Amino acid sequence: MKRNWVVIANAARARVLEESDRVGRYAHVADLVHPASRLSGTQLAELHGGSRPGRIESQAHGTGSAAYEPRTSPREREHERFAHEVAQVLNQGVAGGRCAGLTLVASDPFLGAIKSRLSVQSRKALLRTVSSDCTALRDEEVAQRLGWVAA
């Protein structure tokens, strides 16, 4: 029997839970962690082999570097990578018939980043979205927060 999944996420961690027969109880489907989302822009630039963020090294004449405003910061790129990773797990679950419906509970703007990467089929399976960072809560506390069990 296909069950609904509840996704609890922020830009650095995501838990994918499957509802059980008992309200407020879940089976863990996936626990994804993305430590790079917690690094500073400078640390991310160094991690990916660059120099300082917002700088490009010039091969032409002149001072050797030029400042520019990147379209997305290194942190935003990491958040996008992680949102893609989370959405892939959800898309595969829905497409593979392991998941009947999805509830997304994620911090803003990460909630939008995940939703924008869901497949058409996964978007149709979307039951509810909640803009809140509940990653520090235990499974039972999440159920209470969502109003599925009495406090």
Side-chain angles (χ1 to χ4, degrees), residues 51 55-67:
S51 58
R55 311 292 291 176
I56 56 172
E57 299 302 322
S58 173
Q59 303 298 333
H61 302 289
T63 61
S65 67

Side-chain angles (χ1 to χ4, degrees), residues 113-128:
I114 295 172
K115 283 176 58 178
S116 71
R117 287 163 177 79
L118 290 177
S119 66
V120 172
Q121 190 177 9
S122 294
R123 284 190 195 134
K124 288 179 182 176
L126 200 56
L127 303 171
R128 182 177 177 191

Side-chain angles (χ1 to χ4, degrees), residues 1-108:
M1 178 170 119
K2 294 190 297 186
R3 299 187 187 269
N4 294 334
W5 285 3
V6 178
V7 182
I8 313 297
N10 65 19
R13 180 173 185 220
R15 291 187 329 237
V16 181
L17 310 171
E18 184 176 85
E19 293 177 345
S20 72
D21 293 333
R22 293 181 51 203
V23 176
R25 296 285 184 188
Y26 305 99
H28 284 251
V29 174
D31 197 359
L32 308 166
V33 180
H34 192 71
S37 289
R38 298 209 185 271
L39 297 175
S40 71
T42 303
Q43 290 169 319
L44 287 170
E46 291 170 1
L47 179 70
H48 294 295
S51 58
R52 297 183 345 212
R55 311 292 291 176
I56 56 172
E57 299 302 322
S58 173
Q59 303 298 333
H61 302 289
T63 61
S65 67
Y68 74 100
E69 285 296 318
R71 285 186 227 163
T72 57
S73 72
R75 283 183 63 104
E76 289 170 327
R77 281 194 299 275
E78 287 304 322
H79 294 177
E80 290 170 6
R81 283 184 184 125
F82 189 51
H84 179 76
E85 183 180 344
V86 173
Q88 272 189 311
V89 170
L90 303 179
N91 291 338
Q92 290 170 356
V94 171
R98 297 186 341 239
C99 169
L102 294 170
T103 297
L104 294 180
V105 182
S107 60
D108 248 350

